[in-house]
Amino acid sequence: MTLVHKAGAAAGHPAAAPRPRKSAMKRRERTVGFLAVLPALVVVVGFMLYPTLFALYISFTKTNGISFKWVGLNNYVQLLTDPLVHTVFINNLKFLVSIPLVIFLALIVSVLMFERIRGWKYFRVIFFLPNVLSAVVIGVMFKQLFGYYGVVNTIVVGLGGERIEFFTNGSLAIMVIILALVWSGFGYQALLLLSGLEAIDPAVYEAAALDGAGWWKRLWYITLPNIRRVLGFVFIINVLYTFSSLFGFVFVMTAGGPGYDTTTIDYLVYLKAFSTSNLGPGAALAVLLFVFIGILTVLQNRAFRIQED
Amino acid sequence: MTSLNSRVRWPIFLLLVLMAATIIYPLFFLVSSSLRTNSDYLNNPLGLPSSISFENFVVIWNTYGAGPAFLNSLYVVTIAMIITILLSTSAGYALAKLPVPGAKLITGSFVSVMLIPGQVLILPIYLMLSRLGLVGDFSGLIVVYVATSLPFAVFFLSVSFRAIPDELLEAIRLDGAGFFRTIRSLILPVGGSSIATLAVLQFLGMWNELLYAFILLPDDSKRLLTPALAQIGDRYLNQQPLVSAGLLLTASVPILLLVLASRYVMQGLAAGVSR
C-alpha cells in the first residue's frame, strides 16, 4: 500500500536533536503538520476532487470513455427536454410522501421516549437498528415481505383476498418502497428529535406546570416550537434522501420497473452511465442532480433560519 | 415532563412496545424463516419452523457464493477502515493542533467535497481505475472507500481533537515527544473514544455500500457481500428461506457491532448525520 508508505514517511523525522531556536522549531512544526495532512490530502484530491472535475468535463462531451468530443451544453439541453427525465423527476416527487409519515412516527416515538419510560435504553438500540442495515438488506427484506408468497400476501389470502402482485404495478411498487423508507428512517430520526427535546431547558416546563398547563398544551406550545430547528434539520435530510439515496432500494426491489415507473434520478444516472455507449449524458445528469441537491439544501437552510429569527 | 403520573406511563410503554415491534417483527421473521425448509415455509409463511435446520446457511455460504463474499467484504472493509483511521488521525491531529500552512483551505476543501454524491464520482472513478487496471482489483475499491471516507473522518477527528487541552500537548512536548509519540501516547488514549466511534461508523458505511462495490468489482469471484446479496435476492426470490439466511448473514455484522459497541454507535448518532 503506497498510502501507508506515505503516512510513514510523513512523520518519519520528528523530535530528537538538540533543542533548536524558536523560529526553526516553528518552521519544523509547520513541516511536520503539513506532512501529516499530506497523505489524506493527496488521496482526497486524487480520488474525490479530480474525479468531480473529470465528471464535469465528461458532461460536456460525447464519449465512450476513451475518446472525448466536446459538445458544449448539448447533453444538458437534451436532458432538460427529455420526457423520460421529466417522468423520473416526478417519480422522485412521489417519494416525498414518505416525509410526513416518517416525521410523524418519529415525533410520536421521540415524545414517548422523552418520558424516560422503563427500558428506554433498550428501546433506543431497537429504534436505531434499521439505521445500521444496508438499503440492500432492507430492500430485499421488503421485497420478500411483499412478494407473491410473502407475509403480506399470506395475510391477504387469510382474510379472503386475492394475492396481490405488488411489483408489477407502479403505484403499489412505489408504496412498498415508501414503506421501506419509513421503516428504515423513523427510529433514527426519533432519536435525533429526542436529542432536541433533551436540549430544552427544564425550567420552561416547570413554569408551565405551575401555570397549570396540561400535557397536550405543553406538547403543542412548548415542546414542538422548541425543537423546530431539529425538525427543520430532519426535514432537510429527508428531502435530500429522497433525491439522492433511493438507488439501493430501487436497485434491489424493482430495478426501476415496471417500465420506468419506479426509476428515480439517481437510478437513472446509473442506467445512463453504465448501459449506454455514450457516457456524457449520464455524467451531465449526475451533475444536474448534485446542483439541484445543493440549491435545495441552501434554500431549505435559509427557510428554516428565517423562521428562527 | 417527568411529572407524569403512573396511570399514563403504562399506555406510553405499550405504545412504544408496539412501535418497537414494527421494527423487530420483520427481523424476527427473517430469523424464523431462515431456519425452515422451503416447503415448510410455503405451507404456512407466517408460522414458526416445524423443525429447526441450519441447512439454508450452509447452502448459501457454500453454494451461492455468500461465504467467499463475506470474507471478501471483511478483508476490503477492514483494510480500508484501518487506512482511513491512520490517515485521518494524522491529518485530524495536525489540523487541530499543529500550524499547518493553508489549514483553512484544506479544511474548507474537505468539507466541500463531503457532500459530493457517489453518482457524480462513480463514472470518472470507473474510467480512472480501468485506465490504471484496477477495476476488478480489491485495491481499487479500497482506495475509493478511503478517499470517500476521509473528508468526513478528518473533519470529525479534527473537531474532537481540538478539545484536547493544550497543556497536555505542551507537557508531552517538553518531555521530548515527537509527532509519532504524541499520537501514540496522548492522542490515541485521550481521543480514543472518538476514533472508535469513527471506526465503527466507517466500518458500517463501507460494509453496507452497494454502488462502488457493485461497479468496481464486476467479477463474481471477487464480489463483496452486499452486492452479492442484491443478486441472490434477485435470482432466488422464490426460495425465501434461503434469501432470509443471506439477509441475516449480511445483517449479522452490523447488528453485532450495534450490540457490542452500542456506546460508540450512539455517539456517532449526531455525527453520522453529516454523512
Side-chain angles (χ1 to χ4, degrees):
Chain A
M1 258 324 48
T2 54
L3 301 173
V4 177
H5 261 321
K6 277 183 204 146
H13 46 75
R19 198 147 295 176
R21 286 217 210 106
K22 205 93 200 182
S23 68
M25 208 170 97
K26 200 83 199 160
R27 197 178 318 138
R28 208 184 52 190
E29 272 206 324
R30 286 168 65 92
T31 314
V32 170
F34 184 70
L35 289 177
V37 176
L38 194 59
L41 190 62
V42 168
V43 178
V44 170
V45 169
F47 287 87
M48 282 201 85
L49 211 55
Y50 173 71
T52 308
L53 298 176
F54 192 16
L56 205 59
Y57 171 70
I58 298 172
S59 75
F60 292 115
T61 64
K62 181 178 180 352
T63 177
N64 53 9
I66 299 161
S67 62
F68 296 83
K69 184 168 164 280
W70 186 264
V71 294
L73 287 171
N74 233 345
N75 291 326
Y76 288 96
V77 173
Q78 268 178 20
L79 284 175
L80 291 174
T81 55
D82 183 352
L84 176 60
V85 173
H86 300 166
T87 314
V88 166
F89 185 72
I90 290 170
N91 285 343
N92 269 92
L93 295 183
K94 290 179 188 164
F95 285 102
L96 292 175
V97 173
S98 64
I99 298 179
L101 297 176
V102 172
I103 294 188
F104 179 67
L105 288 177
L107 252 181
I108 293 182
V109 171
S110 66
V111 169
L112 294 180
M113 292 272 291
F114 190 49
E115 301 294 345
R116 281 289 181 270
I117 222 80
R118 78 186 56 183
W120 68 275
K121 278 191 172 159
Y122 297 101
F123 281 120
R124 207 169 62 147
V125 173
I126 292 173
F127 287 123
F128 194 75
L129 193 58
N131 200 54
V132 303
L133 300 179
S134 162
V136 170
V137 169
I138 296 167
V140 173
M141 189 174 86
F142 270 79
K143 194 179 177 185
Q144 228 190 358
L145 293 175
F146 286 85
Y148 199 70
Y149 293 107
V151 166
V152 175
N153 265 321
T154 309
I155 295 173
V156 168
V157 170
L159 295 174
E162 298 252 324
R163 283 186 195 278
I164 303 167
E165 293 202 54
F166 285 97
F167 298 104
T168 55
N169 173 321
S171 311
L172 287 179
I174 287 183
M175 191 201 77
V176 176
I177 299 178
I178 287 177
L179 275 180
L181 268 174
V182 172
W183 185 84
S184 62
F186 84 87
Y188 172 62
Q189 294 177 22
L191 298 184
L192 287 180
L193 294 177
L194 182 62
S195 68
L197 291 176
E198 280 162 352
I200 302 176
D201 186 356
V204 181
Y205 282 115
E206 280 156 27
L210 283 180
D211 283 348
W215 192 83
W216 288 105
K217 249 193 172 144
R218 274 179 284 165
L219 176 69
W220 189 250
Y221 289 108
I222 301 177
T223 311
L224 291 184
N226 268 300
I227 56 166
R228 57 170 194 269
R229 188 194 287 264
V230 192
L231 272 174
F233 174 72
V234 166
F235 184 77
I236 291 175
I237 57 170
N238 273 310
V239 174
L240 295 187
Y241 205 80
T242 315
F243 282 100
S244 65
S245 308
L246 291 174
F247 174 79
F249 287 122
V250 173
F251 185 88
V252 296
M253 289 168 82
T254 62
Y260 285 99
D261 284 0
T262 57
T263 303
T264 54
I265 298 269
D266 53 348
Y267 193 74
L268 189 63
V269 170
Y270 158 76
L271 287 182
K272 279 195 181 293
F274 290 99
S275 58
T276 54
S277 50
N278 182 6
L279 308 176
L285 190 60
V287 172
L288 276 182
L289 177 66
F290 181 43
V291 170
F292 178 73
I293 291 173
I295 293 172
L296 216 57
T297 315
V298 173
L299 286 182
Q300 290 186 340
N301 264 329
R302 193 155 297 165
F304 283 108
R305 198 158 302 146
I306 287 165
Q307 275 188 2
E308 219 74 47
D309 299 334
Chain B
M1 288 198 280
T2 42
S3 53
L4 267 190
N5 55 39
S6 57
R7 194 167 48 87
V8 197
R9 293 185 83 85
W10 270 107
I12 289 177
F13 180 73
L14 289 179
L15 205 53
L16 271 180
V17 168
L18 191 73
M19 302 289 276
T22 62
I23 286 182
I24 293 294
Y25 177 74
L27 298 171
F28 168 77
F29 171 76
L30 288 187
V31 175
S32 141
S33 58
S34 71
L35 300 173
R36 315 169 70 177
T37 63
N38 204 31
S39 57
D40 181 35
Y41 172 81
L42 288 177
N43 248 342
N44 175 16
L46 286 175
L48 294 172
S50 57
S51 67
I52 286 180
S53 131
F54 290 94
E55 184 65 21
N56 292 318
F57 289 93
V58 176
V59 171
I60 200 119
W61 183 277
N62 288 332
T63 353
Y64 289 63
F70 186 94
L71 299 176
N72 288 344
S73 270
L74 213 53
Y75 172 75
V76 166
V77 172
T78 306
I79 292 186
M81 184 200 75
I82 291 173
I83 298 176
T84 304
I85 293 296
L86 287 177
L87 298 195
S88 58
T89 303
S90 158
Y93 161 58
L95 287 172
K97 293 294 181 187
L98 294 176
V100 179
K104 274 221 171 96
L105 185 70
I106 295 173
T107 312
S109 55
F110 275 24
V111 169
S112 60
V113 295
M114 212 149 74
L115 297 169
I116 294 173
Q119 281 85 7
V120 172
L121 296 170
I122 183 66
L123 190 56
I125 280 182
Y126 180 82
L127 294 178
M128 284 165 65
L129 289 183
S130 72
R131 214 167 286 172
L132 295 169
L134 289 180
V135 169
D137 194 301
F138 288 143
S139 60
L141 185 62
I142 290 174
V143 173
V144 171
Y145 278 169
V146 171
T148 49
S149 309
L150 272 177
F152 172 71
V154 172
F155 174 74
F156 177 78
L157 286 186
S158 74
V159 168
S160 44
F161 290 165
R162 215 159 279 155
I164 297 176
D166 283 333
E167 295 79 52
L168 288 179
L169 282 160
E170 196 54 39
I172 198 166
R173 189 185 7 216
L174 287 179
D175 207 29
F179 180 81
F180 270 145
R181 221 185 92 196
T182 309
I183 292 223
R184 202 175 51 234
S185 39
L186 179 63
I187 303 294
L188 287 187
V190 179
S193 110
S194 307
I195 296 175
T197 300
L198 182 70
V200 173
L201 279 184
Q202 300 297 358
F203 193 97
L204 286 173
M206 294 172 191
W207 184 270
N208 291 335
E209 204 278 330
L210 172 66
L211 183 64
Y212 293 123
F214 179 73
I215 299 285
L216 299 179
L217 293 175
D219 305 335
D220 272 344
S221 63
K222 287 192 174 165
R223 277 261 174 266
L224 299 197
L225 189 55
T226 299
L229 180 75
Q231 287 184 319
I232 290 171
D234 196 39
R235 286 181 196 159
Y236 308 105
L237 191 71
N238 50 354
Q239 289 171 272
Q240 303 208 9
L242 207 63
V243 176
S244 290
L247 284 167
L248 278 180
L249 185 68
T250 313
S252 62
V253 172
I255 291 178
L256 210 65
L257 266 181
L258 176 64
V259 171
L260 294 181
S262 70
R263 186 163 78 96
Y264 297 117
V265 182
M266 293 295 174
Q267 271 177 4
L269 179 81
V273 163
S274 21
R275 271 183 304 182

